[in-house]
Amino acid sequence: MLLINPVGEKFGGFLSRYVPIGIPMGLGYLAGYLQARGVKVKIVDEELLAVNERTLSDLVQGLERPYIFGLSILTPRAGRAYQLIRMLKTLHPDCIVITGGNHPTSCPEESLLNGADIVVRGEGEEVLWNLYREIRGGGDLSRIHGITYRKKDGSISKNPDASLIRDIDEVPLFPFELFENPRYDKGCIVSSRGCPYRCNYCQIRMMTGTAYRVHSPERILAELDLLINKYGQKRIVFYDDNFCFQKKRVKQVAAAIIAAGLQKKCSFSLQTRADNFYSDIVPIMAEAGFKHVGFGMETGLDHLYKIINKGETVQQHIDAIALAHRHGMTTALFMIFGLPTETHEDREKIFNMCRSMHPKDIKFNNLIPYPGTPMYETLKGSSRMHIAEGWSNFNSTLSVTRSIFDKTPLPYVPETMSEFELKRDIMLYSLRAYFNWQTIASILGGSRKGAVWITLPRRWYLNPLEIFHVGRVAAALLMNLLIAWLPLKWTEPVMTCLNPNLKERQRVPNAPREVKIMGWADGAKSQLVIDRSEHPDRRSS
Ligand code: B12
């Protein structure tokens, strides 16, 4: 089987040359699971190698026929994935194309309309293995849970949801050996799956319901040992959706790291909710080498927290960040601008508040109502939403990784602002967050660590080609900064002249400051709650 990570626009846009490439974790887990069961699997990641007629003929060498292709699709990459499916079906008409990942889970029929044969919804390991055996045995797909597929008579069948894997330790250790390319940033690990909260913009609930499943400390240690002692990683990021949800297990993981002495060789960073960053777990985390914490703070005003059903407050974030700093950890804040009803004044307040807390990094993204989320269900169809062909604009870094003159529409613009105002503010605040001599010096000196993605090659200043590329990126950033800095009343008319489509999403005078976003429906996956015992007080509005 060939597993493909389709990539239209490289991660990081015009900065991509200097953004480390993240391992496509989902595909890695699938490959590890199938390989352990004797299936021959290869992975191709388009971040590194484009799939075309020429490269494909090498990639399929040695694979069993008819070929089975598995594509992992994030929403902004759907267009590229559909292009690839057409190519695969033209070159190998008897092949079987399976899609999976976040986007096909939310829009399975769309994959089928674009030529895929079968869609795997949600977690993939067990379902893909069952599917593989059924396909190779010429069996009956109606028995496989967790798939949507086109039947021989052309109709579409949506089989019942599959259960989640109860004990995720059954998934083999992550196969890092499949990602030997030095351009990969191997410093990553997933120690738990899922997040039981109900934020209405986040897609995790669609994938894993409210379940929160953890790997055992022994398994986490085994993977850390591999990363540190075999691959020499000095800094490892826990990719968990919400690392600190269970206090007891955080303490166990930290204690296991200390007992193995791994904190002497490596530092760790994680992402968590502020209200789960408990004061009694932070000291042992600090001792275990957790040096950096990212908080999905998203906004900074309590009325906006209510709109996104975050179930947290501004004060909880202020307290959590101060707590991290007291224990010598640095912090990053991940923010969303462009929430329904938000205004420019709100953003100014939020930015100033973020800065006053002295995080190391602040990353501003625009709101993306991902399909499958209540945010999407509420806003879809409104004139303030715009879905570009192949969902290519559903990329949250669009505003900072493209030129300010780029005409791609943002996916959603609230009535309380114009499209250019939102884009400009994201750019302005992002650049203001980073535009200080300390940050610039650390990036240029190649010593930048933390959540910021830009990493320049060592001694780049001795290489004329790198000097050229760094110069180009710097010029683009400065141009963005300059235009974003000029008053909106000067720049907006010019931008609207250059791009008349901006007229469609102007600010609406007296736009309502109240809005009701739907909640998550309690579907089948919500029943799959595992070990809630540590959280009797968890909000589940
Ligand atoms: C860590 C992370 C990152 C990291 C690394 C991403 C990576 N390469 O894996 C970084 C910071 C680089 C990142 C970047 C982006 N990310 Co990100 N990221 C995550 C996060 C927190 C964890 C991903 C993970 O490791 N999951 C663990 C594995 C086990 O799960 P999985 O990847 O979903 O795979 C399983 C299933 O989906 C399924 N499956 C997946 N592919 C396939 C294929 C087949 C054939 C089958 C059968 C099954 C299958 O089986 C897998 C195993 O169970 C998720 C949130 C989440 N929990 O999913 C967001 C998330 C995946 N990211 C998201 C997005 C949008 C992005 C960006 C596109 C952001 C942007 N620029 O706009 C970029 C894309 C860049 C990239 N190179 O992939 C969204 C995706 C939404 C969507 N509908 O597309 C998510 C869900 C965040 C969210 N809350 O909305 N991300």
Side-chain angles (χ1 to χ4, degrees):
M1 183 180 311
L2 179 64
L3 297 175
I4 306 177
N5 185 28
V7 177
E9 178 182 0
K10 292 214 183 310
F11 182 49
F14 69 60
L15 303 171
S16 63
R17 188 180 177 88
Y18 299 117
V19 177
I21 298 177
I23 291 178
M25 300 296 282
L27 287 185
Y29 281 114
L30 295 172
Y33 198 85
L34 293 179
Q35 278 181 340
R37 285 155 182 78
V39 181
K40 179 158 188 183
V41 187
K42 290 188 189 175
I43 296 183
V44 54
D45 180 356
E46 289 213 290
E47 288 282 1
L48 295 169
L49 178 73
V51 177
N52 54 39
E53 210 173 321
R54 189 179 48 77
T55 53
L56 188 66
S57 70
D58 287 344
L59 289 163
V60 295
Q61 287 296 320
L63 294 180
E64 192 181 339
R65 279 176 176 268
Y67 298 133
I68 302 179
F69 296 110
L71 281 77
S72 181
I73 313 183
L74 291 181
T75 300
R77 289 150 173 203
R80 171 62 185 159
Y82 302 151
Q83 245 177 22
L84 282 176
I85 296 176
R86 281 190 286 278
M87 186 185 80
L88 296 170
K89 286 285 181 183
T90 310
L91 294 174
H92 303 285
D94 63 341
C95 74
I96 293 154
V97 174
I98 305 170
T99 63
N102 296 77
H103 192 70
T105 301
S106 58
C107 316
E109 289 81 9
E110 190 183 287
S111 272
L112 299 181
L113 284 173
N114 282 283
D117 299 292
I118 306 161
V119 176
V120 170
R121 307 189 310 270
E123 190 166 73
E125 289 91 340
E126 268 184 357
V127 182
L128 187 59
W129 167 231
N130 292 337
L131 192 53
Y132 179 84
R133 281 184 300 173
E134 214 58 54
I135 292 172
R136 288 293 182 224
D140 176 9
L141 297 189
S142 67
R143 292 205 295 244
I144 312 275
H145 282 194
I147 62 167
T148 303
Y149 69 105
R150 196 180 282 285
K151 295 202 282 196
K152 290 212 170 76
D153 65 6
S155 63
I156 290 177
S157 174
K158 185 176 181 201
N159 294 1
D161 282 349
S163 331
L164 294 177
I165 300 168
R166 276 221 153 243
D167 176 5
I168 55 172
D169 273 4
E170 281 168 16
V171 177
L173 287 191
F174 190 84
F176 288 102
E177 69 281 3
L178 299 180
F179 301 93
E180 291 290 3
N181 190 307
R183 290 204 57 207
Y184 278 125
D185 179 358
K186 277 211 193 62
C188 58
I189 182 170
V190 177
S191 78
S192 64
R193 287 190 183 181
C195 175
Y197 293 87
R198 292 169 177 250
C199 308
N200 56 24
Y201 56 87
C202 177
Q203 263 200 340
I204 308 309
R205 266 193 110 233
M206 184 195 70
M207 302 298 286
T208 52
T210 44
Y212 186 75
R213 294 158 300 157
V214 299
H215 281 298
S216 61
E218 297 73 35
R219 150 76 182 239
I220 298 168
L221 254 267
E223 232 160 71
L224 289 178
D225 180 64
L226 200 65
L227 284 171
I228 297 168
N229 293 326
K230 180 166 178 201
Y231 294 107
Q233 294 299 316
K234 301 253 177 294
R235 177 179 167 260
I236 293 175
V237 183
F238 281 76
Y239 271 175
D240 303 37
D241 301 309
N242 185 6
F243 182 82
C244 293
F245 178 59
Q246 291 181 340
K247 274 188 196 188
K248 197 166 73 190
R249 84 114 194 174
V250 175
K251 286 185 188 166
Q252 285 167 350
V253 172
I257 291 175
I258 296 167
L262 295 180
Q263 80 284 6
K264 294 182 194 132
K265 300 179 178 173
C266 184
S267 69
F268 306 102
S269 43
L270 65 121
Q271 274 197 55
T272 193
R273 276 173 67 102
D275 59 351
N276 291 165
F277 195 62
Y278 304 99
S279 54
D280 53 340
I281 56 174
V282 179
I284 189 164
M285 289 173 72
E287 195 187 334
F290 286 89
K291 293 208 164 27
H292 186 77
V293 196
F295 294 102
M297 180 163 162
E298 324 300 4
T299 187
L301 296 167
D302 285 332
H303 74 275
L304 293 175
Y305 277 121
K306 290 211 173 71
I307 287 177
I308 55 175
N309 200 28
K310 183 96 175 146
E312 284 180 299
T313 61
V314 176
Q315 193 57 46
Q316 280 170 322
H317 285 93
I318 296 174
D319 294 344
I321 291 156
L323 179 64
H325 292 170
R326 276 203 302 281
H327 288 274
M329 300 178 183
T330 55
T331 52
L333 306 180
F334 300 100
M335 310 298 293
I336 303 177
F337 274 168
L339 294 178
T341 78
E342 182 191 288
T343 61
H344 171 75
E345 292 67 37
D346 291 341
R347 287 193 286 280
E348 181 68 22
K349 275 190 213 148
I350 294 168
F351 176 74
N352 287 330
M353 194 189 46
C354 286
R355 254 224 312 223
S356 70
M357 293 189 277
H358 306 292
K360 180 166 180 184
D361 294 310
I362 317 174
K363 193 156 170 274
F364 297 100
N365 293 315
N366 52 302
L367 172 68
I368 304 206
Y370 280 113
T373 62
M375 186 63 92
Y376 176 80
E377 289 304 320
T378 311
L379 300 174
K380 74 177 180 198
S382 105
S383 60
R384 309 300 290 192
M385 280 274 286
H386 190 109
I387 303 173
E389 204 184 332
W391 302 83
S392 57
N393 61 336
F394 273 50
N395 170 339
S396 58
T397 55
L398 210 67
S399 303
V400 276
T401 59
R402 290 211 188 158
S403 152
I404 198 161
F405 296 106
D406 182 87
K407 292 184 180 167
T408 310
L410 297 179
Y412 167 71
V413 180
E415 282 83 354
T416 38
M417 64 197 76
S418 72
E419 176 153 1
F420 180 68
E421 181 183 357
L422 174 57
K423 198 167 146 183
R424 166 195 182 264
D425 279 358
I426 292 173
M427 216 169 257
L428 183 64
Y429 290 120
S430 299
L431 292 167
R432 270 175 68 186
Y434 290 110
F435 210 74
N436 59 65
W437 290 118
Q438 212 185 356
T439 307
I440 294 170
S442 65
I443 291 176
L444 292 180
S447 66
R448 187 82 185 131
K449 292 195 182 76
V452 155
W453 350 307
I454 301 181
T455 309
L456 298 185
R458 273 170 63 82
R459 297 170 182 255
W460 61 273
Y461 37 82
L462 300 180
N463 179 339
L465 184 69
E466 290 308 335
I467 294 174
F468 168 75
H469 284 294
V470 171
R472 242 178 31 162
V473 168
L477 285 172
L478 282 173
M479 172 59 86
N480 282 356
L481 179 63
L482 175 72
I483 304 277
W485 217 301
L486 292 171
L488 187 67
K489 60 176 191 258
W490 297 359
T491 47
E492 185 149 31
V494 178
M495 287 295 171
T496 313
C497 252
L498 294 174
N499 178 13
N501 290 337
L502 287 175
K503 282 191 198 128
E504 281 167 25
R505 290 188 295 175
Q506 290 293 357
R507 186 202 293 222
V508 175
N510 306 319
R513 296 291 313 267
E514 272 179 41
V515 67
K516 178 97 191 89
I517 309 289
M518 290 175 195
W520 280 101
D522 272 327
K525 283 191 180 148
S526 318
Q527 310 307 320
L528 292 162
V529 178
I530 296 169
D531 196 355
R532 278 174 147 172
S533 55
E534 284 193 53
H535 287 269
D537 61 345
R538 185 166 52 77
R539 289 179 61 136
S540 55
S541 50

